[in-house]
């Protein structure tokens, strides 16, 4: 019922395209449905016993789980963080990003209250940017908090995971990415360029699993680049609240826009060529395609989180795999090929938590194991993987076999 309110708030708070808000608001109820379904799944098992016991592995709620959510898909990623722990019987302390305190936090408080959820099940804590370190330390280190769900940047995630580890608390952290889309010489070019366009520029590239490197086999490089540039050039830049046709809205803040500008300027200064785009006007960045990008450039190694993507040629599948894996990150990936066996072979060699054959790296469903490897995180969100993370496993037995104790006792 709050869909229109949410879409307007997402645009006002996060600067997103109308279609992105519609997608996010439609996805969130699915998260709660998936979490509700988990309560009807098996949450334990009866184990064999050598001694005639009834032996059971059982799960129970942890107690209190802290959820710290990001600003890019604030409602969706908050829902993912809190729905599964609450469905499993936990209470949640939620701290949304200071950039999106309403769409990532307070709207959930309003909806939970309206739905009649008992007070104290969901607790929303907002704070200023200046108070984030103090508030974050409190809700991670407090002894009543037993688990932490965090989605955000790798530097912050490292700190949170370290603090959780110091207190021996369960932690699921989903962090940044430098995801590759590999386009093979047998790729369907319409599919390849659409996947590249969506994956690189959806929500201005402000998605953890955005395509941030496109690797194209050299025999089809020119064709791909021409058709990709043609597609991308049709994306309109502007205020998405003024015109629903503005697909590319502003970046979240001046700091992020400055970081993207710095990566473009660094690449150009070191010899990269701007195929289209390159313009930065305040927080608005044109969809930008670069060629001639080399490993010494910031845009090659650092997460961009903006609408900028290098297109890099490769000769063999093994070379594409090596370039894709040449990153501290390992979140998602995509492979475009008509040969599914070839796609699976490439996917099996990629050091990523997720891979999508004949699709973009940007993929998600509420019930799947979502997460990355290397510096992209630890643990998995979604479905039974969230339930496993945010519950405790216990072993309980009933003595029925007459097992005795040593006679001296």
């Amino acid at each position: 019922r709050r869909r229109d309110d949410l879409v307007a708030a997402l645009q006002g708070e996060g600067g997103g395209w109308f279609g992105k808000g519609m997608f996010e608001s439609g996805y969130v109820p699915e998260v709660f449905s998936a979490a509700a379904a988990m309560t009807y799944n098996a949450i334990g098992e009866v184990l064999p016993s050598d001694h005639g016991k009834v032996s059971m592995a059982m799960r129970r709620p942890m107690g209190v789980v802290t959820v710290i959510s990001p600003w890019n898909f604030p409602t969706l990623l908050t829902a993912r963080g809190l729905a599964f722990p609450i469905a499993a019987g936990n209470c949640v302390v939620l701290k949304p990003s200071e950039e999106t305190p309403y769409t990532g936090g307070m709207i959930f408080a309003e909806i939970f209250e309206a739905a009649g959820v008992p007070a104290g099940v969901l607790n929303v804590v907002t704070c200023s940017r200046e108070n984030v370190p103090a508030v974050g330390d409190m809700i991670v280190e407090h002894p009543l908090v037993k688990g932490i769900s965090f989605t955000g940047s790798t530097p912050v995630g490292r700190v949170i995971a370290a603090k959780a580890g110091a207190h021996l608390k369960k932690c699921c952290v989903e962090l940044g990415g430098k995801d590759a889309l590999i386009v093979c010489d047998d790729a369907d070019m319409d599919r390849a360029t659409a996947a590249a366009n969506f994956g690189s520029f959806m929500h201005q590239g402000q998605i953890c699993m955005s395509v941030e490197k496109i690797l194209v086999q050299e025999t089809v490089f020119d064709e791909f680049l021409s058709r990709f540039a043609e597609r991308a050039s049709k994306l309109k830049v502007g205020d998405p609240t003024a015109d629903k046709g503005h697909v590319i809205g502003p970046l979240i803040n001046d700091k992020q826009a400055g970081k993207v500008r710095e990566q473009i300027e660094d690449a150009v200064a070191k010899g990269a060529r701007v195929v289209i785009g390159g313009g930065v006007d305040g927080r608005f960045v044109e969809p930008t395609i670069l060629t001639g990008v080399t490993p010494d450039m910031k845009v090659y190694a650092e997460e961009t989180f903006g609408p900028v993507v290098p297109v890099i040629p490769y000769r063999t599948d093994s070379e594409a795999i090596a370039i894709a894996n040449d990153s501290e990150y390992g979140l998602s990936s995509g492979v475009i090929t008509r040969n599914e066996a070839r796609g699976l072979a490439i996917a099996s060699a990629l050091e990523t938590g997720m891979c999508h054959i004949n699709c973009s790296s940007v993929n998600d469903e509420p019930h799947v194991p979502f997460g990355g490897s290397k510096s992209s995180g630890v643990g998995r969100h979604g479905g039974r993987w969230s339930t496993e993370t945010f519950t405790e496993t216990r072993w309980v037995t009933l003595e029925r076999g007459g097992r005795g104790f040593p006679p001296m006792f």
Side-chain angles (χ1 to χ4, degrees):
R1 293 199 298 269
R2 298 289 300 274
R3 184 169 199 168
D4 291 345
D5 296 341
L6 179 55
V7 172
L10 285 166
Q11 289 194 279
E13 218 173 29
W17 167 51
F18 173 79
K20 181 259 188 186
M22 290 295 289
F23 162 76
E24 190 166 353
S25 61
Y27 186 101
V28 168
E30 297 177 17
V31 175
F32 283 91
S33 295
M38 287 308 305
T39 66
Y40 291 92
N41 284 5
I43 57 170
E45 49 189 309
V46 177
L47 308 174
S49 170
D50 290 337
H51 307 288
K53 293 179 181 289
V54 176
S55 181
M56 299 170 284
M58 306 171 67
R59 290 190 175 274
R60 72 175 179 188
M62 302 173 74
V64 179
V65 173
T66 285
V67 176
I68 302 174
S69 62
W71 50 260
N72 58 333
F73 278 75
T75 313
L76 188 160
L77 295 175
T78 293
R80 183 183 73 182
L82 65 81
F84 290 94
I86 287 177
N90 299 290
C91 294
V92 163
V93 175
L94 166 65
K95 192 205 84 64
S97 167
E98 62 277 13
E99 298 282 1
T100 50
Y102 183 72
T103 51
M106 296 309 299
I107 194 168
F108 284 95
E110 294 174 0
I111 289 170
F112 270 54
E113 185 173 34
V117 177
V121 172
L122 174 65
N123 310 274
V124 181
V125 179
T126 63
C127 69
S128 66
R129 186 184 301 277
E130 293 72 26
N131 287 333
V132 166
V135 172
D137 286 350
M138 171 63 76
I139 61 177
V140 169
E141 297 180 335
H142 194 284
L144 290 180
V145 171
K146 305 302 182 184
I148 297 99
S149 169
F150 173 79
T151 304
S153 71
T154 293
V156 176
R158 288 184 194 277
V159 173
I160 289 174
K163 290 180 183 294
H167 294 276
L168 301 179
K169 296 182 180 185
K170 276 189 171 183
C171 187
C172 186
V173 293
E174 190 261 290
L175 309 176
K178 193 69 181 175
D179 299 341
L181 177 70
I182 298 174
V183 180
C184 299
D185 56 4
D186 63 347
D188 178 321
M189 280 296 146
D190 282 338
R191 184 67 180 174
T193 53
N197 210 32
F198 171 78
S200 302
F201 303 129
M202 170 65 176
H203 196 40
Q204 300 80 254
Q206 297 177 125
I207 307 175
C208 56
M209 50 183 163
S210 287
V211 173
E212 294 213 354
K213 284 182 185 176
I214 302 175
L215 313 181
V216 184
Q217 200 149 18
E218 58 185 11
T219 53
V220 295
F221 183 87
D222 290 342
E223 179 188 1
F224 172 86
L225 185 62
S226 173
R227 293 174 66 169
F228 177 35
E230 182 183 4
R231 269 188 189 271
S233 66
K234 297 176 183 177
L235 298 174
K236 294 182 179 180
V237 181
D239 179 356
T241 62
D243 184 342
K244 290 182 180 179
H246 290 158
V247 177
I248 308 298
L251 299 190
I252 190 65
N253 55 38
D254 295 336
K255 180 181 178 182
Q256 186 60 29
K259 175 185 174 183
V260 174
R261 180 197 293 272
E262 180 184 359
Q263 286 195 8
I264 295 172
E265 292 176 348
D266 173 77
V268 171
K270 293 175 180 174
R273 179 173 75 90
V274 176
V275 178
I276 66 162
V280 181
D281 181 9
R283 296 183 184 179
F284 292 91
V285 180
E286 295 175 338
T288 300
I289 301 172
L290 302 172
T291 58
V293 169
T294 52
D296 61 321
M297 299 175 186
K298 293 180 178 180
V299 74
Y300 179 92
E302 297 178 6
E303 184 178 32
T304 302
F305 231 63
V308 178
V309 66
V311 183
I312 301 170
Y314 72 89
R315 293 184 297 277
T316 65
D317 290 358
S318 59
E319 183 182 3
I321 291 164
I323 297 171
N325 287 340
D326 183 22
S327 172
E328 69 169 306
Y329 299 104
L331 186 56
S332 189
S333 52
V335 182
I336 311 296
T337 173
R338 286 186 169 91
N339 184 336
E340 290 187 345
R342 181 184 185 184
L344 284 169
I346 293 172
S348 67
L350 295 176
E351 298 168 349
T352 59
M354 303 173 285
C355 185
H356 306 286
I357 298 167
N358 288 318
C359 202
S360 159
S361 57
V362 178
N363 267 279
D364 194 9
E365 294 187 52
H367 61 286
V368 303
F370 189 98
S373 60
K374 302 198 290 189
S375 293
S376 290
V378 176
R380 295 292 182 267
H381 286 101
R384 66 178 176 86
W385 294 272
S386 283
T387 303
E388 290 170 0
T389 299
F390 297 111
T391 54
E392 292 178 330
T393 301
R394 306 181 71 225
W395 182 40
V396 177
T397 70
L398 298 172
E399 171 51 48
R400 291 182 178 174
R403 188 184 189 190
F405 302 101
M408 63 284 297
F409 291 97

